[in-house]
Amino acid sequence: MSTATPSLAQPSTPPDGPPRASWPAVVAVMLGIFSLVTAEILPIGLLTSIGASFTVSDGVAGLMMTMPGFLAAIAAPVVTVATGRVDRRVMLAAFILLLALADFLAAAATSYWLVLVSRVLVGVTIGGFWSVGAGLAGQLVPAASVGRATSVIFSAVPLGSVLGVPLGTFIGDVAGWRTAFLAMGGFTLAVLVLILAVVPSLPSDRATRPDVLRGMLRSVDTRYALLTTFLVVLAHFGTYTYVTPFLERVTGIAPGLVTVYLLLYGAAGIAGNFLGGSAVGRFPRATFAVAACLIAAATLLLPVLGQSDAGAVALLVVWGVAYGAVPVCSQTWFARASPDRPEASSVLFTASFQATISLGALAGGAVLDHSSPATVMVLGGLPAVLAALVAGAHRATRHPWPESAR
């Protein structure tokens, strides 16, 4: 990921002076987020096989994507406020342990409702870990390296798509979906050991309070960030959650090839992460608008061009590049809106992002159960068009960023 990716607002300097660089700790936080991202979206590649195991429709199976998002949206502010003075290292370790337990529960589930319980645990973990971990760069490295450290942490998002999900899907194809969750649980325990070994004590010197979050919502920039994030994430997860049924039914590829297609999408996501990270510092609104336009183009054209293998691959690559830039664009916008409150910015980013993941997966599942995968793609592309217009509207108002965010 490009070192030009903008950092979050600089946190206050610790009482004992600026932090010494702890790059192993940065990598540990990145691997923790990689575990979260992979666990959250792993069901996308295993959707049809899990649904078949419990005799539920693809739309009902999509609840595996809906549940974590809703719980994460609730957990982000609640957990962060409730544990405001707890050492952040302790919180990171506790959340990762909970994630491993969720993976093992899914692997051992004897009924679909137990799978959904495991997804509830995943949601709580995502809300807490993301809110705490996304803004920790300033406590792990000196100020001059915060941008690079933030880039490393955010690289976990596309890596979850390019490595985690395709590998999990491959394991599921070869040894069954339960084995994929079992392997994910084992990896997460390894990350827990690494966090305990290399992450230093991270006492919280500024607790996030409810009134701080309410105050941020009064900001025009924050409201634009919320609306743009809502629309683009709704478009993405309302469609990408059901990309496997689309590829199998419309493109007509064999189930075993889904892994390859998702791998290509994920590789494109890494490129998008680099490109978005390079551009968002200078052109935050334009970068977000371009990403939304590309997602709209990919999803709206898939029902037409995605009937062929070449068309599907080309559009998945465009889609991957576009979505690879979305998380860093969204978090950057939130951080610029409230530059003096990095953890609070992370809370709003996490809550809005995760709630919309759930709404997107839920809406897409409802459409899929009553129509077709092609219709899901077309309807999902419309919010992405609106997201581009909203980002453009914010730019057109020439509303200045807060001075300390520049």
Side-chain angles (χ1 to χ4, degrees), residues 114-139:
L114 282 176
V115 175
L116 294 183
V117 170
S118 77
R119 304 303 290 171
V120 169
L121 300 181
V122 170
V124 173
T125 301
I126 292 169
F129 194 102
W130 254 116
S131 295
V132 172
L136 280 181
Q139 291 182 259

Side-chain angles (χ1 to χ4, degrees), residues 9 210-231 285 288 329-353 356 390-391 394-395 397 399-402 405:
D211 62 304
V212 172
L213 298 176
R214 288 193 297 269
M216 290 176 65
L217 292 175
R218 290 192 287 269
S219 163
V220 172
D221 291 321
T222 299
R223 291 175 181 175
Y224 266 101
L226 284 168
L227 181 56
T228 308
T229 297
F230 169 77
L231 290 169
R285 292 166 283 211
F288 214 165
C329 286
S330 178
Q331 175 108 355
T332 297
W333 203 329
F334 277 106
R336 287 195 173 199
S338 299
D340 298 323
R341 291 287 182 175
E343 186 168 276
S345 296
S346 294
V347 169
L348 288 184
F349 163 74
T350 302
S352 61
F353 215 91
T356 313
V390 170
H394 185 266
R395 187 173 187 273
T397 62
H399 187 77
W401 299 107

Side-chain angles (χ1 to χ4, degrees), residues 239 242-243 245-247 249-250 303 367-368 371-378:
T239 51
Y242 305 101
V243 72
F246 180 91
L247 293 173
R249 300 179 195 174
V250 179
V367 172
L368 182 62
S371 57
S372 67
T375 304
V376 170
M377 297 298 160
V378 172

